[in-house]
Amino acid sequence: MFNPGSKLYAIRKSKCPRCHQGNLFKSSLFSGQGVYNMHKRCAVCDQDFELEPGFYWGAMYIGYALYTLYMLTAIALLFFGTALTLNQSFALTMLGALIMVPYIARRARVWWINIAIRYNKKIAQKSTLKPLDKKIK
Ligand SMILES: [Zn+2]
């Protein structure tokens, strides 16, 4: 389920949705080089990561769903699991939401591109033999 070849693997590891080998992002979220610091193309299979201009606008829908899930879960856990009032739980959850903005924004992009592009086993196997890492940098 979480092995190469499954969507969840590519989503969890932020890998190219087509070959599950190339990285989507140039650097870690905590490197300070920007939230949306993505490669233009896959370094392994040459898949274009910006399918059309404004492609990632659709990731807002995924981000909205992820925020909603986070907010409902966090408020419920804080309200029912601690002695906090509903307003205190909401305020603490909002503070956490502000901190999570970059993380959720990246996750939304990863989900969005994985919805649009399917895994291709043949390309993945061929790409393993001839990595294009040097060509793309
Ligand atoms: Zn790839």
Side-chain angles (χ1 to χ4, degrees), residues 16 18-19 22 42 44-45 47:
C16 166
R18 189 164 76 161
C19 70
C42 177
V44 177
C45 73
Q47 167 67 47

Side-chain angles (χ1 to χ4, degrees), residues 2-137:
F2 292 106
N3 295 328
S6 78
K7 285 258 183 231
L8 290 177
Y9 173 81
I11 291 168
R12 190 171 60 94
K13 296 277 190 175
S14 297
K15 295 290 183 185
C16 166
R18 189 164 76 161
C19 70
H20 292 184
Q21 295 170 42
N23 291 323
L24 284 174
F25 297 99
K26 291 179 183 172
S27 58
S28 149
L29 184 61
F30 305 104
S31 69
Q33 295 181 1
V35 175
Y36 301 124
N37 194 11
M38 293 182 76
H39 291 285
K40 297 265 185 242
R41 306 188 78 85
C42 177
V44 177
C45 73
D46 205 32
Q47 167 67 47
D48 188 2
F49 290 152
E50 178 117 7
L51 301 181
E52 60 189 15
F55 171 72
Y56 289 104
W57 281 99
M60 286 190 312
Y61 299 107
I62 306 295
Y64 180 77
L66 291 174
Y67 271 113
T68 303
L69 183 68
Y70 160 74
M71 293 291 288
L72 293 176
T73 305
I75 288 172
L77 286 175
L78 287 171
F79 182 66
F80 294 113
T82 65
L84 296 174
T85 65
L86 187 60
N87 284 342
Q88 290 169 330
S89 301
F90 185 78
L92 211 56
T93 302
M94 286 302 294
L95 189 66
L98 289 175
I99 293 167
M100 289 179 61
V101 165
Y103 175 75
I104 288 183
R106 263 196 183 199
R107 293 285 93 205
R109 279 187 169 218
V110 172
W111 276 88
W112 188 246
I113 197 166
N114 271 279
I115 288 170
I117 300 171
R118 305 184 105 200
Y119 175 67
N120 188 322
K121 193 174 184 177
K122 286 181 182 173
I123 287 176
Q125 288 169 343
K126 206 186 296 180
S127 299
T128 308
L129 298 174
K130 293 190 286 183
L132 303 171
D133 289 301
K134 292 171 189 163
K135 180 182 158 192
I136 305 298
K137 290 179 183 174

